[in-house]
Amino acid sequence: MKKIIVTLTFVAGIIASNLSAATVSGTVRDCNGRPMPGVKVSDGKTIVHTNKDGKYVIPTDKSTGYVFVCTPSGYEPSVSLANRPKFWHLLTAETDADESVDFKLRKTNDKKYRFLTLADIQIGRRINDVEVYHSKSVPDINETIRKSREEGVEPFIITLGDESWDAYWYNNGYALPEIISDEERLDCPVYNVIGNHDHDPYIEGDEHSSDTWRRLMGPNYYSFDKGDVHFVILDNIDYINEGGKPGIAGKRNYNNTISDTQLDWLRADLADVEQTSPVVVAMHIPLYREDGSYSTANGAELCEILDSFNDVRVVTGHTHYCYAVHSPDGKIKENNYGAVCGTWWATDLPDYGNNSLCRDGSPSGYAIWEVDGTKLSGQYKGVGMPADYQFRIYDGNTLEIPEANTVYINVWGWAPGWKIEAYENGKSLKIEQVTYRDPLHIISCEKPHQALGRKNPTMASSSTHFFRTATRKPTTPVTVTVTDADGRRFTETMERPKPLSTDMK
């Protein structure tokens, strides 16, 4: 899947113009000590390839503070620092001092594997978030990992940003070191994406507010190959944090954009990737909004860089609800996923719904992606729910404001190419896609919040993955069948009347 470039002196990306810059050099070897030629090594600005002896040299200003290897297909880094792959090393000498960093990679069979995407864990010891994460989320994720290994398929995890919550780093003593400890509970390698809440709220400006992330969590953007797929992790947060200074949290404001430095690095990174290879791009803020406009400010430039590839999957978080958008030519397919924390853990409280919901009524959860060669297939899974729990049906006759003989279907995984069918007594019903606010979320979060006299309730989002149909009678059962783009079918029959309750089903 990769064009092999073997050279010691070829430098792609941004060429260091500072002639007094230091150099970082070293060797990339396999676990048997054999040198590995043609492997990409980068400091986040410059990309070089190892020569026939596995050696590399990078001129660097050390501004990122690290150097990393872009793991090639058929190999993986060792796992250390909790359960994070050790594909990177901190640079510790003075800025103008040369350093030596070696990498060792182990051979693996990675033609078939799974990866899980976890958006917005966002724990900060604020309410019962840590306890619920430990007691509900972690066991569910680890059970998915166990089942995968039982089937002979090795998994790994990509978080999608906001592992932490900057507002509570100092007030609650729960910052990135504690997040690392929580990630240790997950039983497979974890690759991390930086989110807006993963920056230091006491530091103004993007460059240094992410220093702690880079020091503890690793690069804020990087790439690796896994089998026939090229993975790219990006940072699309420009953390402004106006007024932040030691001991004082700033406004924690930010822009949704990818830096020019990253885009230049990405062009160089993709230069030796075969155009027939699938590319997975993971970042925090969505590329697209639900209406197809750009959520990332310079998303058009990113799409232009990716335009030569026919199969690009973008996985994002940030919104705390699910939706899917395809580019006009269908080459870029984005899944924006609901959060592990749901509605910031609020509906897990006994005074609320006690049911783990995201803002669109989807269950709090994560996605499971199957990869077999160049074929990719993703499916969202709710925490504590079976994998085939892909939609919820509402009886319009029993809603708070009744709608006679109406049925609503919330299909949170819906994407272009999915098929929604409904039948009453075996007769097909006409289906229309609508924008709607999830009734379960309203009674699980908004209503209790207001009843308790608390300010600013988190409102249910207006979601485009709702479908409506009209029935002939008010009490006949309705059978719904959902078929996803990969041909998986999910069916449920709703007996009516079905009362509206905080039960997830």
Side-chain angles (χ1 to χ4, degrees):
M1 59 98 46
K2 183 166 125 13
K3 307 169 190 174
I4 301 298
I5 299 176
V6 182
T7 173
L8 180 60
T9 56
F10 173 78
V11 179
I14 301 175
I15 307 299
S17 59
N18 182 359
L19 297 179
S20 63
T23 60
V24 176
S25 60
T27 304
V28 180
R29 300 181 185 274
D30 66 18
C31 55
N32 294 315
R34 291 186 292 258
M36 295 180 62
V39 176
K40 291 190 291 193
V41 183
S42 180
D43 66 344
K45 291 186 173 181
T46 300
I47 296 175
V48 300
H49 294 78
T50 57
N51 70 358
K52 62 183 178 62
D53 298 316
K55 296 184 182 298
Y56 72 91
V57 176
I58 296 183
T60 179
D61 61 8
K62 298 187 180 181
S63 59
T64 63
Y66 53 69
V67 63
F68 61 90
V69 62
C70 304
T71 313
S73 298
Y75 290 87
E76 62 186 7
S78 60
V79 176
S80 59
L81 294 176
N83 51 6
R84 287 167 296 141
K86 188 55 178 168
F87 62 91
W88 58 280
H89 281 277
L90 289 173
L91 301 176
T92 56
E94 296 296 326
T95 302
D96 58 353
D98 295 342
E99 294 190 54
S100 179
V101 174
D102 295 332
F103 292 94
K104 184 177 287 187
L105 304 175
R106 61 193 182 198
K107 202 163 182 60
T108 185
N109 182 356
D110 56 10
K111 286 295 182 181
K112 186 176 182 179
Y113 55 91
R114 290 189 181 110
F115 67 94
L116 282 55
T117 58
L118 278 58
D120 300 81
I121 299 172
Q122 208 161 336
I123 44 182
R125 201 183 282 146
R126 184 177 65 99
I127 41 178
N128 63 339
D129 49 4
V130 178
E131 293 78 7
V132 174
Y133 173 71
H134 290 171
S135 64
K136 290 185 180 181
S137 306
V138 171
D140 190 282
I141 295 165
N142 282 342
E143 179 62 12
T144 296
I145 293 167
R146 186 195 66 78
K147 287 180 179 178
S148 182
R149 289 195 174 120
E150 193 176 70
E151 296 168 12
V153 181
E154 193 62 30
F156 66 92
I157 286 171
I158 301 176
T159 66
L160 295 176
D162 284 1
E163 287 82 3
S164 67
W165 198 337
D166 50 356
Y168 303 102
W169 274 26
Y170 298 106
N171 291 344
N172 294 351
Y174 211 86
L176 294 182
E178 288 71 30
I179 296 304
I180 290 173
S181 177
D182 279 309
E183 282 193 356
E184 287 181 323
R185 296 171 180 265
L186 302 174
D187 192 26
C188 71
V190 178
Y191 292 86
N192 286 304
V193 171
I194 189 170
N196 53 291
H197 289 299
D198 297 319
H199 293 71
D200 192 331
Y202 283 3
I203 298 177
E204 189 174 55
D206 187 68
E207 181 180 2
H208 293 295
S209 61
S210 57
D211 283 349
T212 302
W213 174 276
R214 292 193 293 268
R215 178 170 56 84
L216 295 177
M217 308 293 280
N220 48 321
Y221 58 93
Y222 53 96
S223 69
F224 58 93
D225 293 327
K226 199 80 171 172
D228 295 320
V229 182
H230 186 66
F231 287 82
V232 177
I233 310 299
L234 294 178
D235 171 6
N236 61 348
I237 310 295
D238 175 21
Y239 193 71
I240 300 169
N241 195 34
E242 184 181 345
K245 53 187 174 182
I248 298 177
K251 293 183 177 179
R252 300 184 290 119
N253 53 323
Y254 55 89
N255 293 321
N256 311 350
T257 189
I258 304 169
S259 67
D260 290 340
T261 299
Q262 277 186 83
L263 293 176
D264 286 337
W265 169 86
L266 180 61
R267 291 184 182 94
D269 175 71
L270 295 175
D272 65 345
V273 177
E274 294 286 356
Q275 294 180 359
T276 55
S277 298
V279 176
V280 174
V281 177
M283 56 190 184
H284 181 57
I285 292 178
L287 169 61
Y288 295 113
R289 298 183 181 92
E290 284 185 87
D291 63 5
S293 63
Y294 289 111
S295 179
T296 295
N298 53 351
E301 189 172 359
L302 174 60
C303 290
E304 183 179 350
I305 294 171
L306 296 168
D307 185 62
S308 62
F309 297 91
N310 291 322
D311 188 4
V312 178
R313 310 301 179 104
V314 179
V315 288
T316 54
H318 185 62
T319 62
H320 297 244
Y321 53 85
C322 296
Y323 65 86
V325 177
H326 293 181
S327 63
D329 60 9
K331 294 197 297 186
I332 299 176
K333 300 178 177 66
E334 177 172 12
N335 285 96
N336 179 249
Y337 286 121
V340 172
C341 75
T343 309
W344 296 272
W345 305 104
T347 72
D348 289 279
L349 293 168
D351 288 341
Y352 288 72
N354 198 23
N355 56 15
S356 299
L357 284 179
C358 296
R359 295 172 57 205
D360 60 342
S362 64
S364 62
Y366 53 95
I368 304 170
W369 281 84
E370 308 272 351
V371 182
D372 190 352
T374 58
K375 183 180 179 181
L376 292 86
S377 174
Q379 181 177 331
Y380 188 76
K381 183 191 181 305
V383 168
M385 308 304 294
D388 62 357
Y389 178 56
Q390 293 295 311
F391 62 90
R392 186 184 307 112
I393 314 172
Y394 293 100
D395 182 353
N397 294 292
T398 61
L399 296 178
E400 286 196 301
I401 302 176
E403 297 184 39
N405 297 1
T406 301
V407 170
Y408 284 95
I409 312 160
N410 184 353
V411 190
W412 41 81
W414 181 88
W418 285 43
K419 184 179 180 181
I420 317 298
E421 301 168 276
Y423 300 89
E424 181 186 14
N425 287 332
K427 294 183 179 180
S428 178
L429 298 173
K430 184 180 178 180
I431 296 281
E432 63 175 330
Q433 188 170 4
V434 296
T435 298
Y436 198 61
R437 296 176 66 241
D438 186 76
L440 176 57
H441 189 278
I442 292 171
I443 66 169
S444 297
C445 191
E446 293 177 36
K447 295 292 184 180
H449 201 107
Q450 293 166 348
L452 292 166
R454 295 170 181 167
K455 296 180 180 178
N456 303 320
T458 300
M459 307 293 283
S461 63
S462 294
S463 301
T464 58
H465 51 68
F466 271 85
F467 298 83
R468 179 172 61 198
T469 188
T471 62
R472 299 171 180 85
K473 296 181 180 180
T475 59
T476 49
V478 172
T479 298
V480 173
T481 296
V482 172
T483 306
D484 71 13
D486 296 302
R488 288 174 294 220
R489 290 168 60 87
F490 312 98
T491 299
E492 180 184 335
T493 297
M494 175 180 68
E495 300 293 337
R496 296 190 297 162
K498 178 185 176 183
L500 178 62
S501 75
T502 56
D503 189 299
M504 287 286 280
K505 294 295 286 185

